[in-house]
Every structure is written in C-alpha cells, then in structure tokens.
Amino acid sequence: MFASLLDNWQLIVQMTRRDVISRYRGSLVGLAWSFFNPLLMLAIYTFVFSTIFKARWGVDQENSRAGFAAILFVGVIIHGLLAECITKAPSLIVSNVSYVKRVIFPLEVLPWIAVGSALFHSAISFTVLLLAQLVLGHVIPWTAILLPVVVLPLVLVAMGFGWLLASSSVYVRDIGMLTGLFATALMFLSPVFYPLSSLPQKFHWLILINPLTFVIEQGRRVLILGMAPDWMGLGLYALLALMFAWFGFWCFQRARNGFADVV
C-alpha cells in the first residue's frame, strides 16, 4: 500500500498540483479563491450560529463570537477534508478511462491525488483560521503544531474510502449518487455544530462510531483549548484507520482486473 506511494510520489505531487490549479482555471482571481472561500464561510458560520441560532459551547470562550467561530470552523474543515475525498472517489476510475486502458499507469494512486487536493484546501482553511485568531488578538497555543499528527489518521480513513468507493462504483454506478448524502449524514452525526456533551447519553454511541468525531474533538483540543491530544485514543484510532485503509486497498487491487472490461 505504501510502496506505491513511495514509488509514484512525484507523479502524485504533479497530478495533485494540476488538479488544484484546474479547479480555478478561468476564474478572475485564480488560486486566491482557495483563501477567500474559507474566509467567507468562516464569516457566514459565525453569523448564523452565534447570532441567529444563539449557539453556545461550554468553554471559556463561550461568550465570544470569534471563539465560537474557531471551535465551529475546526469541525467544518475536518469534515470537509473527508467529505471531499468521499464525494470525489466514485468518479476517480470512471472519469479516467484513458488511464485504465494504459497498463503502465498506477491506478491505485488516484485516491492519493484526491486526498492531496483535499489536504491542500484544508491547510489553507486552517491557515485562515489561525490568521483570524491572531488578528482578533487570541493566543495560538503551542499544541497547534500537533494538528498534523491528529489529522494524519483521518487521511488513512479517507484513503480507505477512496479505494473502496473508486473500485466499487465501477461496477455499481449508483454509489456515486449516495456519497453526497453519506457525507452530509457524517456532518450532522458528528460534533461539528454542537458539542458532544449536549446530546443525551443514549445517542453517544451513534456519534462516537462516526470516524470524524474523535478527530474533530482532538483537533479542538490542540488548536483551541491548548491541550495535548489523547495519545492512547489517537494510537488506537490510527491502528483502526490503518486497517481500514489496507482493507480498502486490498479490495481495490482485487477489483482492478475487471476495470477495463466495464468502463
């Protein structure tokens, strides 16, 4: 699984760069949209959830709109990372028929390209968040440097979904119709817009099985609360994520022999 990544990393970087640039090709400000989009969304979420819905969180910054926006936006960014990978995965093979016909092309790297593009946009969004925190006079805790460690296991989860959905959608095209709904369900069944403590105890299991929940909670710990992550929990999550990624890769490799006949 990782040998292909190491052998083809230059190809992955080049195609990821092309994917990012092609998204903004023809627009007036180009790549600047990758900065303006999260900035605009941060302002919208802050207004809607702190002014209209009067949402509050049980933390020291609960009376600060900027503090609430930071807590909310961490969840939005992390969800966006996984959601982008899930929604793009079903089209990775069926929309690249020319790659399928070329025996020498490593098809298994296509999900890495999708994840790389999603990571780029997530990094820009986190940069916007940190800059907003500085502009508003908030102190960024030193634990913020641990964010990549927290997010890395989610990358493995995204790769598992990428390989699974990319391979299965070749044979069952309806999967592409369901991924958007699935990504939306993941958002509302994870503590993006509400704290986990606000839910009745009997529903906690439903939220905790969501692969986003743990990463969102830990992301807020290191970025907002200035606390180190739960290392034991993070280690267990990383192990499960690695197993899931390997399972997705195994399914992809088993299914790839029939791609050329179907597409």
Side-chain angles (χ1 to χ4, degrees):
M1 183 172 67
F2 293 110
S4 178
L5 172 64
L6 295 176
D7 292 340
N8 300 287
W9 69 271
Q10 290 181 319
L11 173 66
I12 294 172
V13 171
Q14 292 174 359
M15 294 191 68
T16 299
R17 184 185 300 117
R18 189 182 69 177
D19 182 71
V20 171
I21 294 175
S22 65
R23 181 177 303 193
Y24 303 101
R25 184 176 293 121
S27 62
L28 293 178
V29 294
L31 273 175
W33 277 116
S34 64
F35 179 84
F36 293 137
N37 279 336
L39 187 63
L40 179 60
M41 294 308 298
L42 178 60
I44 292 174
Y45 281 127
T46 302
F47 173 74
V48 171
F49 286 93
S50 65
T51 302
I52 299 178
F53 289 161
K54 302 292 185 183
R56 290 294 181 266
W57 292 65
V59 295
D60 294 338
Q61 297 176 326
E62 65 178 0
N63 294 319
S64 168
R65 291 185 180 181
F68 170 77
I71 292 173
L72 175 67
F73 208 50
V74 170
V76 171
I77 297 171
I78 292 175
H79 167 264
L81 169 61
L82 183 59
E84 181 176 343
C85 298
I86 289 176
T87 54
K88 290 176 68 173
S91 62
L92 290 178
I93 302 299
V94 296
S95 63
N96 291 290
V97 178
S98 60
Y99 294 155
V100 177
K101 303 298 183 180
R102 296 175 183 174
V103 180
I104 61 172
F105 188 86
L107 294 174
E108 69 276 5
V109 306
L110 291 176
W112 282 115
I113 296 167
V115 170
S117 177
L119 281 173
F120 171 81
H121 291 98
S122 296
I124 297 296
S125 296
F126 277 121
T127 301
V128 169
L129 176 59
L130 294 176
L131 289 176
Q133 291 286 82
L134 290 176
V135 169
L136 294 171
H138 294 172
V139 177
I140 298 175
W142 70 269
T143 52
I145 63 175
L146 298 175
L147 181 64
V149 179
V150 171
V151 174
L152 181 59
L154 186 64
V155 172
L156 294 175
V157 174
M159 288 303 303
F161 276 118
W163 280 313
L164 275 174
L165 296 174
S167 57
S168 57
S169 61
V170 174
Y171 303 98
V172 184
R173 302 298 173 92
D174 303 84
I175 291 176
M177 308 297 177
L178 297 174
T179 51
L181 179 62
F182 179 62
T184 302
L186 285 178
M187 178 174 65
F188 287 106
L189 292 177
S190 61
V192 174
F193 301 121
Y194 52 84
L196 186 60
S197 58
S198 67
L199 292 176
Q201 189 68 32
K202 62 181 180 180
F203 294 121
H204 278 201
W205 69 270
L206 183 61
I207 307 301
L208 291 175
I209 63 173
N210 188 324
L212 288 171
T213 298
F214 182 79
V215 179
I216 290 174
E217 293 288 310
Q218 299 306 305
R220 286 168 176 157
R221 280 172 65 103
V222 300
L223 272 182
I224 308 300
L225 303 180
M227 301 169 61
D230 176 2
W231 292 111
M232 184 173 295
L234 189 62
L236 178 59
Y237 184 95
L239 178 61
L240 294 174
L242 181 61
M243 294 172 60
F244 179 68
W246 179 86
F247 174 72
F249 181 76
W250 179 82
C251 291
F252 184 91
Q253 295 294 75
R254 294 274 293 182
R256 67 183 299 166
N257 291 333
F259 288 170
D261 296 329
V262 177
V263 298

